[in-house]
């Protein structure tokens, strides 16, 4: 490494000249690195908690999907009652009520299934964001490790 006329080290090998390297004051840099590490490790712990919460959310979504499927099954079972021969006023009233319940169960099943699909999309987006945050944390760790390897702190 050579020193340019201003006393700042310069990196060679660039087309058209050299690039001056910044003058890093260890008395400023090292406390900042320490604070950065504290933040990174705190963020990493928060990231692990977020990953655990997303895993629990996935479990809830699976349960919601099962509720939708089960409710749809109940609606079909109730619908099968309409094929019975109801020849009494009570039977006709039961059949009418069963038809209304079947419609409500079908609506509930559709709502549960749609909610599960939307929640899966949200979970996928959270996984992407978690990956981006993990990448950022790894970049900060690599930068700090480079500073330590170069003997700056």
């Amino acid at each position: 490494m050579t020193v340019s006329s201003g006393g700042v080290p310069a990196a060679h090998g660039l087309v058209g000249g050299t690039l001056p390297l910044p003058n890093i004051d260890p008395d400023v840099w090292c406390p900042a690195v320490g604070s950065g590490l504290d933040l990174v490790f705190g963020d990493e712990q928060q990231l692990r908690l977020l990953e655990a919460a997303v895993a629990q959310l996935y479990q809830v979504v699976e349960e919601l999907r099962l509720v939708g499927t089960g409710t749809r099954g109940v609606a079909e079972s109730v619908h099968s009652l309409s094929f019975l021969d109801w020849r009494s006023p009570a039977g006709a009233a039961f059949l009418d009520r069963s038809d209304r319940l079947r419609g409500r169960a079908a609506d509930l099943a559709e709502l549960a299934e749609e909610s599960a699909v939307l929640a899966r999309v949200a979970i996928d987006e959270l996984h992407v964001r978690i990956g981006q945050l993990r990448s950022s944390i790894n970049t900060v760790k690599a930068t700090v490790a480079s500073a330590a390897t170069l003997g700056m702190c």
Side-chain angles (χ1 to χ4, degrees):
M1 184 179 315
T2 62
V3 177
S4 64
S5 60
V8 177
H12 289 283
L14 298 175
V15 176
T18 60
L19 176 68
L21 295 175
N23 186 9
I24 297 174
D25 182 0
D27 293 333
V28 174
W29 172 253
C30 294
V33 167
S35 296
L37 279 175
D38 291 342
L39 286 174
V40 165
F41 288 121
D43 286 348
E44 196 167 26
Q45 183 178 8
Q46 293 296 323
L47 191 58
R48 278 198 242 39
L49 290 173
L50 179 60
E51 288 172 325
V54 168
Q56 288 178 342
L57 178 60
Y58 184 78
Q59 298 258 327
V60 169
V61 168
E62 283 303 304
E63 290 295 323
L64 184 59
R65 186 188 61 76
L66 292 173
V67 165
T69 302
T71 303
R72 193 167 298 284
V74 167
E76 294 303 318
S77 295
V78 169
H79 177 66
S80 69
L81 294 174
S82 64
F83 297 112
L84 297 175
D85 187 16
W86 299 96
R87 294 188 181 201
S88 69
F94 178 77
L95 183 60
D96 182 51
R97 177 125 172 107
S98 296
D99 283 343
R100 283 185 281 141
L101 288 174
R102 180 179 60 90
R104 288 180 25 201
D107 291 344
L108 180 60
E110 185 176 336
L111 179 63
E113 291 163 354
E114 287 174 358
S115 297
V117 168
L118 290 174
R120 280 194 198 109
V121 169
I123 288 170
D124 290 344
E125 289 175 6
L126 284 170
H127 280 298
V128 168
R129 299 251 175 152
I130 288 170
Q132 291 169 339
L133 289 171
R134 178 122 358 252
S135 177
S136 295
I137 287 171
N138 289 338
T139 299
V140 170
K141 284 180 174 180
T143 303
V144 170
S146 294
T149 302
L150 294 173
M152 292 180 176
C153 295

